[in-house]
Amino acid sequence: MRFSKPILFIACLLPLLWIAIATGQAVNPIEFLTRQTGTWALNFLMITLSITPLRRLTGYGKLLLYRRMLGLYVFFYAFIHAFTFFVFDHGLDPAAIWHDVIKRPFVTVGFLAFLLLIPLTATSNQAAIKKLKRQWQKLHKLVYLIASLGVLHYLWLVKKDLTTPLIYAGILAILFLMRTPFARRFDKAKLQKNL
């Protein structure tokens, strides 16, 4: 357990290493970098949301120790995704950025999801938890809206084959269902039987 967090930290950086290598070989490096960092932000978001259901199903409470780090990696990859869009796609031109945000629905929802991630990331520390108390939990429930916007962003981005974004939508629907009161009772009853 002592080395599990450092190992996880390094493992979460491996997709970035692969992206950095593959971007150099891509036909359109900017588009490749944008899409891959967005995909990995969504991957880490799904993994983060799966921690609580997995903890309930397995009874392994220590899984919660990794949730904050995984959540921070959501922002890390989302930030690179947004940075690529702002800097490499639009040259930090506010007019061009705003035009895309207003005119293209998939950009609008992606931009909103990124903005909502910022306060969650800024308050992902013990000091914020102590200061905000119950308000902290309410604030961090925004993750469900962020995940929905992220999937919608991907769904509206894809123009032809919707298979992959629909898989993400299905995974998110399952994760939401596992948070319903009925599912929670079932998990608790299952855990008690296994004890």
Side-chain angles (χ1 to χ4, degrees), residues 40-55:
W40 277 101
L42 198 53
N43 288 343
F44 277 106
L45 186 51
M46 296 297 166
I47 293 168
T48 303
L49 285 173
S50 71
I51 292 295
T52 297
L54 282 174
R55 192 259 307 170

Side-chain angles (χ1 to χ4, degrees), residues 41-57 67 74 143-144 146-148 151 166-184 187:
L42 198 53
N43 288 343
F44 277 106
L45 186 51
M46 296 297 166
I47 293 168
T48 303
L49 285 173
S50 71
I51 292 295
T52 297
L54 282 174
R55 192 259 307 170
R56 288 196 183 115
L57 287 170
R67 187 170 57 185
V74 174
V143 69
Y144 305 126
I146 292 166
S148 301
V151 169
L166 287 176
I167 289 171
Y168 279 102
I171 292 169
L172 184 61
I174 291 168
L175 291 172
F176 281 172
L177 285 171
M178 292 180 76
R179 283 170 165 77
T180 61
F182 174 78
R184 288 178 183 176
D187 292 343

Side-chain angles (χ1 to χ4, degrees), residues 66-140:
Y66 309 112
R67 187 170 57 185
R68 185 183 305 174
M69 183 189 296
L70 290 166
L72 290 172
Y73 268 105
V74 174
F75 181 77
F76 176 71
Y77 282 95
F79 177 81
I80 299 173
H81 181 67
F83 182 86
T84 305
F85 173 78
F86 294 143
V87 179
F88 299 131
D89 258 353
H90 295 85
L92 284 177
D93 181 348
I97 293 170
W98 188 244
H99 179 269
D100 249 10
V101 170
I102 296 299
K103 296 294 182 181
R104 303 169 79 183
F106 81 91
V107 178
T108 307
V109 296
F111 184 71
L112 179 58
F114 178 68
L115 288 180
L116 292 174
L117 267 176
I118 295 172
L120 267 64
T121 305
T123 57
S124 289
N125 54 74
Q126 286 301 124
I129 293 171
K130 289 179 180 178
K131 186 175 182 179
L132 294 173
K133 296 180 181 177
R134 290 184 180 179
Q135 296 302 316
W136 186 90
Q137 287 186 334
K138 291 180 181 179
L139 176 64
H140 280 252

Side-chain angles (χ1 to χ4, degrees), residues 7-65:
I7 290 170
L8 180 63
F9 182 88
I10 294 168
C12 291
L13 287 172
L14 292 179
L16 183 63
L17 177 62
W18 173 79
I19 291 169
I21 294 169
T23 297
Q25 302 169 351
V27 177
N28 188 334
I30 294 173
E31 182 182 353
F32 181 84
L33 179 61
T34 305
R35 294 207 175 198
Q36 290 302 318
T37 51
T39 298
W40 277 101
L42 198 53
N43 288 343
F44 277 106
L45 186 51
M46 296 297 166
I47 293 168
T48 303
L49 285 173
S50 71
I51 292 295
T52 297
L54 282 174
R55 192 259 307 170
R56 288 196 183 115
L57 287 170
T58 63
Y60 189 64
K62 290 183 179 180
L63 281 173
L64 294 177
L65 296 173

